[in-house]
Amino acid sequence: MLAFVIVHLLVALALPFLARRSTRAAFLTAAVPPAAALVWVLAQAQPVLAGQVITETVAWAPLIGLEFSFRLDPLALLMTVLVAGIGALVLIYSDAYFSRGGGAARRSAPLLLAFAGAMLGLVFADDLITVYVFWELTTICSFLLVGQAGISRESRRSALQALMITSLGGLVMLLGFVVLGESAGTYRISELIAKPPGGTSVAVAAGLILVGAFTKSAQLPFHNWLPAAMVAPTPISAYLHAASMVKAGVFLVARLGPVFAGMPQWWLPTVVFGLATMLLGGWRALHEYDLKKLLAYGTVSQLGFLMVLLGTGTYTAAVAGTTMLLAHGLFKATLFLVVGIIDHQAGTRDIRELSGLGRRMPWLAGIATLGAASMAGLPPMLGFVGKEAAFSAFLGGSQPELLVDVVLVVGSMLTVAYSLRLLWGAFAAKRDIAPTEAKPAGFEALVPAGLPALAGVVLGIGFPIADRLASAYASAFPPGDNSYHLGLWHGLTLPLLLSAIAVTGGVVLHLGRARLTALRNELPRLLDAQRGYERIMALLERIAVGVTGRLQVGSLPTYLGIILLTVLAIPGSALLMRASVPADLRLYDNLLQIPLGIVVVVAAIAVLRSRRRLTGVLLVGVVGYGIGGLFIVDGGPDLALAQFLVETLTLVAFVFVLRRLPVRFTQTETRTTRALRVPKAIIAGATGVFISLAAVVFGAARQAPSEASAEFIANAEKGAGATNVVNAIIVDFRAFDTVGEISVLAVAATGVASLILASRHERRKRSTRVAPATRVKIPALAEQQQEEVRE
Amino acid sequence: MTSPTKPKPAWTSWDAPSERWLLSGFPREGTQRTVLLELASRIVFPTVLVLSIYLLFAGHDRAGGGFSGGLVAGQAFVLRYLAGGRMDDSAVVSMRPPVLIGLGLTIATGSAFLPLLFGGQILETAIYKFTVPLLGEIKFVTSVLLDSGVYLLIVGVVLDLLRTLGSGIEADVEAAARGQR
């Protein structure tokens, strides 16, 4: 299984090179790996449905117990059929849809294949972390696919919205995974199912994971990204809606359903939000004029439906859920591809402009009718079989179940109504619109659109196959009184009546569409998810600007003060509380230390009192040289050499910069500058005292030369060929650090240089008449540069 | 800008050195020049460079090393700048500082990977000893390559400093003065 995922991703990596030559070859090559995966998984279907499970585990980071583990069970089998089958069809269709050699075609072939690979990894995954990795991979792929070249503002915004919402949900979900995995002691899904954990933390995890599933599957408060993502090319939308991305959320609920079965924190939100989404999506779909948008809201509605069925956690609901999952994948792929053909051939997909296409494209109309019939739940389609099962799942007799059933029937009415609207809008001859001109579509486009529709009919008539698949998954749930089986004819039962009501109601709704739209226009629009999203994003940006403005005041003394105060507050208080005065404290080791120390102290005090910048800089230099002298006295010639050289260079750099700065620190003595001087001096003095105390205490903490030093000294000559241990450490024992440090130095120097050069370039562009004395930028840069040199 | 000698030099700068091997094309103005410093830097500059290379090689056994050597060489350029005025492309080191930095980094990292080619570990040091007539035994340690990388990089950083903070600011001041005039 891992091999398939890797082959998908590797071929996707190689495809851009092929796509540059020929996009046709790229799309057809891209269709091979999914087709191979489909063939393989169908060959495995017999043993898997008989209860055999194929597993595969690859150690990823064994040190921290991370692994990719894969597992082929009935649910994974079903999803693979959708992901790989529809993936291959969409890729073949894409060749007909995209203009040959165009930018969108060159981008889409590798991205779609990578998308398919990520989805395969997700459906095979048997480990929560593996699920998360592939989950986010699909998010990234869909961002790139929706955004395409990013030329239009709308595509950028939609892609970003999809990324924002789904990755936010993904992060929350990761938190849920961690809570679940830690409280259960395992991240393996099969082990979680075998031994479902319980307790408060698991309930919290359920809620967090549901947020992830809801965002991905476009459930109620988060649904708006899906219709917005309609800016993507149609084949991509087809794949997004039918087999991947949005299916991932539903799939996750199905996958983890057995773990949380019977937990109200799990089924209650899925049922409530699912029902609300089903109604809202269906209602919105009834009023769309864009065929693609209509289908998108239809998907939102169907996803709500699937969420209800798969989240409930009973045997019959699970059977219905898996059947509908398959059915939805098949008919949604067909319908999207059909809309793509219409858009491609007629140049529009607006209901108000299309007329008489049914007569012009009879084959296409036939295919679309098959798909829409399955969506509406007409016999003998798979959609009908699934819907029957769904109605049966909530006939336990209790009041809440009855309510669910009623809402499902209303939702199905809406589904029937928008299915009719789709067919009518796309193919009917409308009286007041001139017949649309359209060239007939080629086989390469028609066959991929027709195959899933045909599969919907075949599986509907051949319902035992679907029944075997669905019951194999649903066996994880308690079967209840009598285990349900799919079928076209159960006798004159209540579900059949409900189906009839739904169809009739849908036809009535469609006939009264004009009045319905008028009614909708009169209703007040209370909440708009899209506007809510935009408000939240704008608020975030405002907060970011506010926080940055308050934190980054642009004053070097303030920054330094904050840094020093932090040093005083955190390590300083630790020093005060813990440290003890070392026992054998000597005043000095060498007489020379006394004059040197005095020089350093005097210079440091003088810096505080200096008014001129140059004086200050020179005095700082004196402090540095004094410390270098102390190094010599203590027997560190290398250290002293480096200290002297760096000190000199710093001094020079300072003097360079000083040419552009006022001579004195403060031009005019005001009351505020004078008032600020005392706190500045206190902070500076306190930090100095702290550092020197810390040096004494920390220095005394080591009792003997450390083992590492001893080893370095012993090995310097033999191992590194150096009698200078310091150098041996730098170029041999710790050479890796050296390489890292010089890289940092290179990056920092280049960065500072380009900052300065860029600001000068800008100034030159503006004018040469700007007074040079008021530059504030340069001291900050010099300071930075100096720090780097010191390092 | 590139030609250092003008056909008719002004009386303040007619005696500016015209050789490009030491001082750059922009001698300081008459009021800012010190002949003593110029002369001293003429003599000292090559000597300091030799000293820096000595430090680079001596670092293995005595005080020194790539870092110190590079800083000393950089110091030599600082002196030359202070005495001779701002540098331009016709300066002694015609390589641009970023190129020098990149070269240093490349040599350092390249020498880190070199032992892999001979089946060693990354950053491993090999010691070669051979005898040269007249000079006696010479010890060559491969880690000196890494040190040379550090040396070049440091020189590049210092030159970059001179280019941006030194001559850059000077050019700014001049431009501003011209603008105000």
Side-chain angles (χ1 to χ4, degrees):
Chain A
M1 280 167 273
L2 179 68
F4 278 110
V5 177
I6 288 178
V7 165
H8 273 71
L9 298 180
L10 281 185
V11 174
L13 265 185
L15 271 186
F17 301 102
L18 185 60
R20 213 174 292 159
R21 295 262 167 98
S22 152
T23 52
R24 186 187 171 85
F27 276 123
L28 296 183
T29 315
V32 174
L38 181 68
V39 169
W40 177 76
V41 93
L42 287 180
Q44 306 296 326
Q46 201 61 30
V48 167
L49 287 182
Q52 194 187 333
V53 170
I54 303 170
T55 57
E56 205 174 282
T57 303
V58 182
W60 171 18
L63 215 61
I64 48 174
L66 282 182
E67 53 191 20
F68 282 117
S69 70
F70 296 104
R71 181 183 166 89
L72 187 67
D73 59 359
L75 182 64
L77 177 74
L78 182 145
M79 282 300 289
T80 313
V81 170
L82 280 182
V83 169
I86 295 180
L89 291 178
V90 163
L91 278 161
I92 293 170
Y93 174 91
S94 295
D95 178 44
Y97 182 86
F98 288 109
S99 56
R100 297 253 159 91
R106 267 187 280 170
R107 262 188 305 277
S108 298
L111 280 175
L112 268 175
L113 187 60
F115 200 0
M119 271 312 286
L120 274 185
L122 181 63
V123 301
F124 288 145
D126 188 32
D127 178 278
L128 291 176
I129 302 297
T130 313
V131 167
Y132 177 73
V133 169
F134 286 109
W135 180 279
E136 291 299 26
L137 271 182
T138 63
T139 303
I140 294 167
C141 286
S142 71
F143 167 72
L144 294 172
L145 281 168
V146 172
Q148 288 290 336
I151 292 169
S152 79
R153 192 181 148 80
E154 203 193 348
S155 70
R156 285 199 302 271
R157 208 171 44 192
S158 317
L160 201 63
Q161 189 177 358
L163 184 71
M164 284 294 201
I165 293 181
T166 52
S167 61
L168 173 80
L171 285 177
V172 176
M173 184 189 77
L174 178 63
L175 195 63
F177 281 172
V178 172
V179 171
L180 178 62
E182 291 301 320
S183 59
T186 175
Y187 283 84
R188 195 67 73 81
I189 296 171
S190 46
E191 287 170 17
L192 286 169
I193 292 175
K195 234 192 302 162
T200 325
S201 57
V202 177
V204 172
L208 294 172
I209 292 172
L210 278 183
V211 172
F214 283 0
T215 50
K216 197 86 162 179
S217 278
Q219 295 299 297
L220 192 51
F222 311 110
H223 64 279
N224 50 320
W225 72 263
L226 189 58
M230 280 298 98
V231 293
T234 307
I236 290 163
S237 302
Y239 196 47
L240 224 71
H241 283 245
S244 57
M245 194 67 187
V246 295
K247 281 290 166 66
V250 179
F251 164 76
L252 187 74
V253 171
R255 178 55 96 204
L256 296 180
V259 180
F260 298 109
M263 198 180 274
Q265 289 91 342
W266 179 260
W267 63 258
L268 197 64
T270 46
V271 170
V272 171
F273 282 99
L275 288 176
T277 311
M278 185 178 184
L279 290 184
L280 178 101
W283 175 251
R284 291 288 299 264
L286 278 184
H287 306 290
E288 288 298 335
Y289 290 106
D290 184 341
L291 285 177
K292 218 170 144 188
K293 238 183 182 148
L294 191 160
L295 277 179
Y297 278 111
T299 308
V300 171
S301 170
Q302 292 283 333
L303 287 171
F305 187 27
L306 288 172
M307 205 52 105
V308 174
L309 295 177
L310 293 168
T312 304
T314 62
Y315 180 84
T316 318
V319 169
T322 25
T323 316
M324 281 311 294
L325 189 64
L326 187 60
H328 177 252
L330 295 176
F331 67 68
K332 208 30 87 62
T334 300
L335 293 175
F336 262 108
L337 296 183
V338 165
V339 168
I341 294 174
I342 293 174
D343 194 11
H344 196 256
Q345 305 300 86
T348 177
R349 45 171 207 256
D350 194 321
I351 290 180
R352 291 163 296 189
E353 294 171 17
L354 291 168
S355 177
L357 273 189
R359 216 160 298 151
R360 213 170 268 276
M361 300 171 148
W363 278 100
L364 193 65
I367 291 170
T369 311
L370 285 182
S374 187
M375 181 152 82
L378 297 182
M381 303 297 185
L382 188 60
F384 169 75
V385 175
K387 215 161 258 186
E388 286 274 282
F391 289 144
S392 322
F394 298 95
L395 286 178
S398 67
Q399 259 174 1
E401 285 198 353
L402 205 64
L403 186 68
V404 171
D405 237 2
V406 168
V407 179
L408 284 185
V409 171
V410 175
S412 304
M413 269 184 215
L414 295 173
T415 309
V416 173
Y418 70 71
S419 307
L420 284 171
R421 183 182 175 84
L422 177 81
L423 284 181
W424 164 80
F427 297 107
K430 290 158 212 162
R431 236 172 289 153
D432 43 351
I433 305 171
T436 318
E437 289 297 318
K439 294 176 284 285
F443 275 110
E444 204 184 12
L446 276 179
V447 170
L451 276 179
L454 218 57
V457 185
V458 170
L459 284 173
I461 295 168
F463 57 85
I465 304 173
D467 183 49
R468 235 182 122 190
L469 192 63
S471 55
Y473 163 69
S475 60
F477 296 97
D481 304 337
N482 51 341
S483 57
Y484 181 85
H485 280 283
L486 294 176
L488 279 173
W489 180 251
H490 288 105
L492 287 172
T493 50
L494 194 54
L496 189 65
L497 179 67
L498 293 178
S499 279
I501 293 175
V503 173
T504 326
V507 173
V508 170
L509 277 178
H510 177 67
L511 292 178
R513 60 182 177 274
R515 243 168 290 160
L516 212 59
T517 310
L519 176 71
R520 185 213 183 205
N521 288 342
E522 276 173 27
L523 283 179
R525 307 191 63 184
L526 298 174
L527 289 165
D528 188 340
Q530 184 63 29
R531 220 181 308 147
Y533 165 79
E534 276 158 18
R535 287 229 179 109
I536 288 172
M537 294 312 285
L539 186 71
L540 262 181
E541 274 169 26
R542 269 211 304 283
I543 291 175
V545 168
V547 168
T548 316
R550 295 221 161 67
L551 289 185
Q552 304 291 325
V553 290
S555 151
L556 191 59
T558 312
Y559 293 155
L560 261 182
I562 290 170
I563 293 172
L564 294 184
L565 279 177
T566 316
V567 169
L568 277 178
I570 297 165
S573 50
L575 188 75
L576 273 186
M577 293 206 289
R578 285 292 185 80
S580 55
V581 180
D584 52 341
L585 202 59
R586 295 182 302 279
L587 205 54
Y588 55 89
D589 285 328
N590 187 321
L591 259 183
L592 269 174
Q593 282 174 332
I594 296 174
L596 281 170
I598 291 173
V599 166
V600 169
V601 170
V602 169
I605 291 172
V607 170
L608 280 181
R609 298 192 48 82
S610 68
R611 301 282 163 84
R612 287 162 171 271
R613 287 174 198 268
L614 189 63
T615 324
V617 165
L618 290 178
L619 286 170
V620 169
V622 170
V623 173
Y625 286 125
I627 289 171
L630 284 173
F631 286 151
I632 294 186
V633 172
D634 276 336
D638 284 274
L639 221 49
L641 182 63
Q643 171 75 19
F644 281 131
L645 290 169
V646 168
E647 203 56 52
T648 312
L649 196 65
T650 316
L651 212 58
V652 171
F654 258 135
V655 173
F656 284 159
V657 174
L658 283 186
R659 292 180 297 181
R660 289 301 303 272
L661 294 178
V663 176
R664 291 166 186 276
F665 284 106
T666 45
Q667 289 324 84
T668 47
E669 286 277 298
T670 60
R671 189 175 293 165
T672 40
T673 51
R674 217 171 302 147
L676 273 175
R677 192 174 299 151
V678 178
K680 277 186 193 167
I682 290 176
I683 293 176
T687 317
V689 170
F690 161 68
I691 295 286
S692 40
L693 277 183
V696 171
V697 172
F698 297 159
R702 177 178 288 158
Q703 299 302 328
S706 73
E707 278 175 45
S709 310
E711 206 163 299
F712 285 159
I713 292 170
N715 284 331
E717 174 80 66
K718 192 154 49 74
T723 47
N724 178 358
V725 181
V726 177
N727 195 269
I729 292 173
I730 291 176
V731 298
D732 194 289
F733 303 138
R734 289 297 178 87
F736 207 72
D737 291 2
T738 309
V739 174
E741 276 160 18
I742 60 172
S743 318
V744 170
L745 193 63
V747 169
T750 314
V752 170
S754 37
L755 268 180
I756 297 176
L757 294 177
S759 77
R760 172 145 24 98
H761 183 67
E762 203 145 285
R763 238 176 296 149
R764 247 186 227 160
K765 258 197 319 197
R766 263 182 293 155
S767 154
T768 47
R769 278 171 195 271
V770 186
T774 50
R775 292 271 157 256
V776 215
K777 250 182 205 165
I778 292 171
L781 287 174
E783 202 70 26
Q784 213 175 327
Q785 178 97 29
Q786 192 209 1
E787 269 176 27
E788 271 123 37
V789 171
R790 268 183 199 285
E791 210 186 62
Chain B
M1 290 283 274
T2 45
S3 103
T5 47
K6 290 170 188 167
K8 265 193 179 177
W11 66 272
T12 47
S13 58
W14 65 270
D15 59 339
S18 58
E19 297 89 347
R20 290 174 54 167
W21 57 271
L22 184 58
L23 293 182
S24 71
F26 295 97
R28 295 192 175 281
E29 275 179 33
T31 48
Q32 289 185 340
R33 286 179 65 185
T34 63
V35 176
L36 204 62
L37 192 60
E38 268 182 32
L39 202 66
S41 67
R42 264 192 153 185
I43 300 164
V44 166
F45 180 71
T47 321
V48 175
L49 280 188
V50 172
L51 172 70
S52 77
I53 291 178
Y54 163 76
L55 279 177
L56 165 65
F57 285 99
H60 233 64
D61 298 316
R62 287 171 209 93
F67 186 67
S68 309
L71 280 174
V72 167
Q75 239 59 283
F77 284 102
V78 170
L79 177 69
R80 191 174 146 287
Y81 164 75
L82 289 177
R86 66 191 169 97
M87 280 175 281
D88 64 334
D89 292 342
S90 68
V92 181
V93 179
S94 58
M95 218 180 274
R96 300 190 140 247
V99 179
L100 215 55
I101 293 177
L103 195 68
L105 199 58
T106 313
I107 291 178
T109 40
S111 77
F113 287 106
L114 201 62
L116 291 182
L117 290 184
F118 301 98
Q121 276 189 338
I122 202 161
L123 282 166
E124 197 177 306
T125 311
I127 308 167
Y128 299 101
K129 285 185 182 170
F130 42 85
T131 339
V132 177
L134 293 179
L135 292 178
E137 194 188 57
I138 286 185
K139 183 174 79 174
F140 178 77
V141 186
T142 50
S143 63
V144 83
L145 267 179
L146 178 71
D147 238 5
S148 327
V150 175
Y151 175 93
L152 282 180
L153 187 127
I154 299 288
V155 172
V157 168
V158 176
L159 284 178
D160 220 7
L161 201 76
L162 287 179
R163 181 175 67 127
T164 52
L165 294 180
S167 28
I169 289 180
E170 200 168 311
D172 268 5
V173 173
E174 270 174 31
R178 248 182 286 129
Q180 275 167 349
R181 222 174 271 154

